[in-house]
């Protein structure tokens, strides 16, 4: 490896020879460094990476981690990770050498996170992300151990607040208060009566609506990423699904689409972001005099409605794009009638046994 002045460009460059995993030698040149120190730092990072050693600082290894992981993840998933790492992990560990980060350093960082008044679940998510980076270093770059595992994890795996949802009567009052704005009115109706995620709703196009079969075809999810409207594949493999609409919702949606004849088949029906839905939801709840809930709680409201109507966890899971285990875990406290029926059946068995 060598660091030299690029006289044509007036910058610094690094020329390196390295051997890949198959033992084949390669030569590459990295140009454009404004200072010799920058070129030397890149050279040291490259050498450490090729040697499988962790004598580089955390910020340098983050670039390695990003290069390894970004191609494997959805754009929206990586954007979320990147924001978390740059705002909550790099500010603390950026200049520390990977091989020098100790469990005590992680404990002090976790205490710093706890001082930021973040939700317990978000704190746990951030800690898990640091652990994922360290695991990557252990698995592929010879870091001896993951210091996060020795330090222990703070935060909570699940939200501590009580799940909120609207009953059919509460939703009726709310929907009447937003009826003056047809686009959000129909958006809320779809979410409450089908259980779609907000990203799935905002990705819908006329091509997603099969009025003849009363189906909504969930094939994508919308996110605003770095100022751009982005449609990506759904959250999980379970999320790709066809959701049957009740007749009244199908008819409402047909009437609404008829008022927008210029809408192309691949154009978003609801061409706004979740911010507008949150704003109108707060306004409508206040006007209707119902308790405030989050947009995602409309999905919980749909699940609660189906449970109250007596549908099984499997049916609800298929409709929501969840696994049955997720539905059972998330909504187990909303299945009292099932528990009562179960207890009654066991009582009958017990009574027969006593005879």
């Amino acid at each position: 490896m060598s660091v030299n002045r690029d006289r044509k460009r007036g910058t610094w460059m690094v020329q390196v020879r390295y051997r890949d995993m198959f033992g084949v030698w390669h030569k590459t040149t990295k140009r454009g460094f404004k200072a010799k120190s920058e070129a030397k730092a890149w050279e040291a990072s490259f050498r450490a990476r090729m040697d499988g050693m962790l004598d580089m600082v955390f910020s340098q290894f983050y670039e390695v981690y990003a290069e390894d992981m970004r191609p494997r993840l959805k754009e929206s998933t990586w954007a979320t990770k990147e924001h978390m790492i740059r705002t909550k992990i790099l500010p603390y560990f950026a200049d520390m050498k990977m091989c020098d980060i100790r469990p005590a350093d992680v404990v002090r960082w976790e205490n710093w996170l706890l001082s930021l008044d973040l939700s317990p679940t978000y704190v746990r998510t951030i800690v898990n992300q640091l652990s994922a980076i360290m695991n990557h270093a252990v698995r592929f770059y010879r870091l001896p151990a993951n210091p996060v595992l020795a330090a222990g994890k703070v935060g909570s795996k699940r939200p501590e607040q009580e799940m909120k949802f609207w009953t059919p009567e509460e939703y009726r009052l709310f929907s009447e208060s937003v009826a003056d704005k047809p686009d959000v009115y129909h958006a809320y109706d779809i979410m409450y009566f089908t259980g779609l995620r907000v990203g799935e709703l905002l990705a819908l196009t006329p091509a997603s609506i099969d009025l003849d079969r009363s189906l909504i075809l969930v094939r994508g999810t919308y996110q605003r990423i770095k100022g751009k409207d982005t449609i990506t594949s759904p959250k999980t493999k379970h999320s790709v699904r066809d959701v049957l609409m009740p007749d009244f919702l199908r008819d409402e949606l047909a009437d609404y689409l008829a008022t927008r004849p210029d809408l192309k088949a691949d154009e978003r029906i609801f061409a706004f972001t979740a911010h507008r839905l949150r704003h109108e939801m707060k306004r409508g709840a206040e006007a209707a005099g119902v308790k405030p809930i989050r947009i995602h709680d409309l999905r919980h409201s749909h699940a609660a409605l189906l449970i109250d109507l007596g549908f099984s966890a499997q049916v609800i899971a298929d409709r929501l794009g969840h696994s049955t285990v997720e539905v059972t875990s998330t909504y187990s406290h909303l299945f009292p009638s099932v528990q009562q029926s179960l207890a009654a059946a066991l009582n009958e068995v017990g009574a027969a046994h006593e005879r």
Side-chain angles (χ1 to χ4, degrees):
M1 296 188 185
S2 62
V3 175
N4 300 293
R5 185 77 172 176
D6 187 341
R7 301 191 184 282
K8 290 182 66 175
R9 296 177 173 82
T11 56
W12 290 86
M13 64 180 181
V14 181
Q15 293 178 313
V16 297
R17 290 185 74 246
Y18 64 96
R19 189 158 49 188
D20 64 21
M21 66 180 71
F22 303 107
V24 179
W25 283 96
H26 300 271
K27 182 179 179 180
T28 187
T29 301
K30 180 73 172 179
R31 305 177 186 273
F33 298 102
K34 294 180 180 178
K36 186 176 183 179
S37 58
E38 291 181 9
K40 282 188 169 296
W42 185 89
E43 178 191 30
S45 173
F46 187 88
R47 182 187 295 114
R49 185 181 178 191
M50 290 299 102
D51 292 343
M53 298 171 60
L54 269 297
D55 192 34
M56 64 174 78
V57 297
F58 185 90
S59 59
Q60 293 172 328
F61 184 74
Y62 165 63
E63 298 302 325
V64 173
Y65 176 79
E67 185 178 335
D68 289 347
M69 297 304 297
R70 187 186 288 115
R72 297 168 174 260
L73 301 172
K74 290 171 55 179
E75 183 181 3
S76 57
T77 301
W78 177 254
T80 300
K81 284 178 172 288
E82 183 179 38
H83 174 77
M84 187 187 307
I85 294 167
R86 292 194 179 279
T87 60
K88 300 299 187 295
I89 300 178
L90 278 174
Y92 196 93
F93 293 106
D95 298 326
M96 297 179 66
K97 285 189 174 182
M98 289 291 291
C99 56
D100 291 341
I101 297 174
R102 301 288 183 259
D105 300 313
V106 176
V107 169
R108 284 190 286 270
W109 168 71
E110 289 176 337
N111 290 339
W112 172 69
L113 288 179
L114 293 172
S115 73
L116 299 180
D117 195 30
L118 304 171
S119 72
T121 49
Y122 190 47
V123 169
R124 174 58 70 91
T125 300
I126 299 168
V127 174
N128 284 342
Q129 179 57 66
L130 176 63
S131 187
I133 294 173
M134 293 300 185
N135 280 337
H136 192 76
V138 170
R139 185 176 181 185
F140 299 107
Y141 297 98
R142 301 183 188 176
L143 186 69
N146 179 350
V148 180
L149 299 181
K153 295 180 180 180
V154 295
S156 173
K157 291 183 179 180
R158 299 196 64 82
E160 295 179 351
Q161 69 268 27
E162 180 183 356
M163 182 185 294
K164 293 182 179 180
F165 57 88
W166 279 336
T167 64
E169 177 59 19
E170 287 174 318
Y171 180 73
R172 183 187 67 78
L173 293 172
F174 165 78
S175 63
E176 288 176 354
S177 72
V178 295
D180 58 325
K181 299 188 176 182
D183 53 353
V184 292
Y185 171 86
H186 290 292
Y188 294 133
D189 254 15
I190 290 173
M191 293 184 71
Y192 187 84
F193 290 108
T194 68
L196 261 62
R197 299 177 177 92
V198 64
E200 295 169 346
L201 168 88
L202 295 177
L204 293 180
T205 66
S208 308
I209 312 299
D210 186 338
L211 293 173
D212 292 334
R213 296 189 296 160
S214 300
L215 291 176
I216 293 178
L217 314 179
V218 179
R219 300 293 185 270
T221 187
Y222 166 87
Q223 281 191 308
R224 185 83 173 165
I225 301 175
K226 296 181 179 179
K228 294 173 58 179
D229 294 332
T230 306
I231 306 294
T232 63
S233 57
K235 184 177 180 181
T236 68
K237 64 179 182 179
H238 296 289
S239 302
V240 178
R241 63 199 189 280
D242 298 343
V243 181
L244 187 65
M245 294 180 282
D247 291 347
F248 74 87
L249 182 62
R250 176 204 59 208
D251 294 342
E252 280 185 7
L253 193 52
D255 290 343
Y256 176 64
L257 291 175
T259 68
R260 303 183 60 188
D262 296 334
L263 192 64
K264 296 179 181 178
D266 60 350
E267 287 184 331
R268 291 169 55 219
I269 297 172
F270 304 107
F272 44 75
T273 66
H275 175 75
R276 180 160 183 240
L277 285 173
R278 283 192 291 270
H279 174 76
E280 295 296 341
M281 195 168 188
K282 180 179 179 181
R283 178 187 70 86
E286 290 176 353
V290 296
K291 63 179 179 286
I293 65 173
R294 305 169 303 160
I295 301 175
H296 190 72
D297 291 329
L298 289 174
R299 182 169 164 85
H300 293 324
S301 298
H302 185 66
L305 176 60
L306 296 183
I307 291 169
D308 190 57
L309 292 173
F311 291 99
S312 69
Q314 179 63 62
V315 170
I316 296 170
D318 290 344
R319 189 166 178 83
L320 295 182
H322 268 319
S323 69
T324 306
V325 172
E326 287 176 303
V327 168
T328 303
S329 173
T330 305
Y331 303 108
S332 59
H333 61 294
L334 298 180
F335 279 95
S337 59
V338 175
Q339 294 296 329
Q340 291 168 4
S341 299
L342 184 150
L346 289 175
N347 282 334
E348 291 182 9
V349 173
H353 178 72
E354 290 178 356
R355 290 197 296 269

